[in-house]
Amino acid sequence: MLIAILTDIHGNREALSACLAHARLLKVDRFVFLGDYVGYGADPAWVVDTVRAMVDEGAVALLGNHDAAIDGSDEDMNGTAREAIRWTRGQLGPEQRRFLADLPLVHEDGNVLYVHANGYAPRNWDYMDGPMEAIRHFSRVEAHITFCGHVHVPMLYHMSTTAKVGAFSPVANNDIPLLPTRTWLAVIGAVGQPRDGVAAANYAVFDTARQTLRYLRVPYDTAEAARKVREAGLPEKLALRLEQGR
């Protein structure tokens, strides 16, 4: 089975549309969304409706911290994120808000764990953004493979049977074997707001039969997405991030 893993869409219609079209050309069998459908971008309602329709067709969708903030607190967010969330609340109807509120924090499939932020305390929204954080994850989570988002920068961590932890930045379009002799933590990167200096959207495909992971970059109409952010009156910083990928 080929599983497309997408995360941190952040209201970016153009990026999500491009990634879904790309994944369908690859004939993926299933879609898993790791959260943060809203916040930052100008099309939160369209993104939520699109993901909700795909869940009705068998996709898995999880809760992200920006999704939780729609009907929860935004006090732990920075000013830019808080401003975007407060704008987003006015763009969503009752059914869209209910869909977000009802999303689960984690999804387990055998020895594979899917989560937005981390596996040991999903609702704390800790970032897996360095080796020390990966060590904390590996010491507390039993899953052989964990897929997460939240960081907006793709990264792959692994731990050997002797508890030695390594990390590397994955190169797009390469099949990476997730060896059974290691434990894995794959940070997928962002569909809708990449922050690694590349403006193209991120997503990944997990081949369950071959136990390989392929990170992918998909160009999309960043100019249109940024134009709509500006037109909505959202902070200029959010438009620049789309154009610059950082």
Side-chain angles (χ1 to χ4, degrees):
M1 178 180 288
L2 292 181
I3 301 176
I5 307 170
L6 303 92
T7 186
D8 296 277
I9 300 163
H10 286 297
N12 190 330
R13 177 174 183 164
E14 288 71 27
L16 178 57
S17 296
C19 287
L20 293 179
H22 190 275
R24 286 168 176 143
L25 285 175
L26 295 179
K27 301 187 184 303
V28 302
D29 301 292
R30 194 178 195 188
F31 289 87
V32 176
F33 298 93
L34 303 184
D36 275 5
Y37 312 100
V38 302
Y40 301 140
D43 286 300
W46 184 90
V47 169
V48 171
D49 286 345
T50 299
V51 173
R52 183 172 56 166
M54 294 181 68
V55 169
D56 289 341
E57 296 174 354
V60 172
L62 303 179
L63 182 73
N65 59 306
H66 286 252
D67 311 317
I70 292 298
D71 284 328
S73 174
D74 58 24
E75 292 306 314
D76 61 340
M77 293 181 163
N78 63 46
T80 301
R82 189 180 304 121
E83 184 175 346
I85 283 295
R86 293 177 180 179
W87 177 86
T88 298
R89 287 174 180 147
Q91 309 301 309
L92 301 178
E95 290 187 5
Q96 294 158 334
R97 295 173 77 132
R98 190 177 306 114
F99 171 76
L100 295 178
D102 289 343
L103 289 171
L105 284 165
V106 300
H107 175 73
E108 296 181 70
D109 186 4
N111 64 356
V112 178
L113 175 67
Y114 300 91
V115 65
H116 179 66
N118 68 81
Y120 59 82
R123 197 173 285 277
N124 286 354
W125 313 118
D126 293 345
Y127 289 87
M128 297 293 99
D129 56 0
M132 294 305 298
E133 291 75 16
I135 290 170
R136 184 180 301 118
H137 169 88
F138 287 131
S139 67
R140 301 182 188 183
V141 176
E142 295 183 359
H144 175 60
I145 302 169
T146 300
F147 296 111
C148 72
H150 197 40
V151 178
H152 293 226
V153 176
M155 185 64 69
L156 188 58
Y157 300 94
H158 52 90
M159 185 177 72
S160 70
T161 54
T162 58
K164 182 178 180 180
V165 172
F168 63 92
S169 298
V171 176
N173 297 313
N174 287 331
D175 287 330
I176 304 166
L178 302 183
L179 301 174
T181 54
R182 295 180 179 271
T183 308
W184 300 89
L185 171 62
V187 183
I188 301 304
V191 169
Q193 198 188 81
R195 295 181 188 168
D196 61 348
V198 181
N202 292 279
Y203 84 101
V205 171
F206 175 44
D207 187 327
T208 63
R210 299 174 59 218
Q211 291 288 286
T212 59
L213 181 64
R214 182 188 303 180
Y215 286 81
L216 297 158
R217 302 308 292 256
V218 182
Y220 72 94
D221 191 346
T222 55
E224 175 64 6
R227 182 194 66 77
K228 290 197 286 188
V229 166
R230 293 184 173 105
E231 188 176 83
L234 289 161
E236 172 66 13
K237 179 180 181 180
L238 299 179
L240 291 174
R241 276 181 172 174
L242 299 181
E243 293 168 341
Q244 299 171 358
R246 67 175 70 254

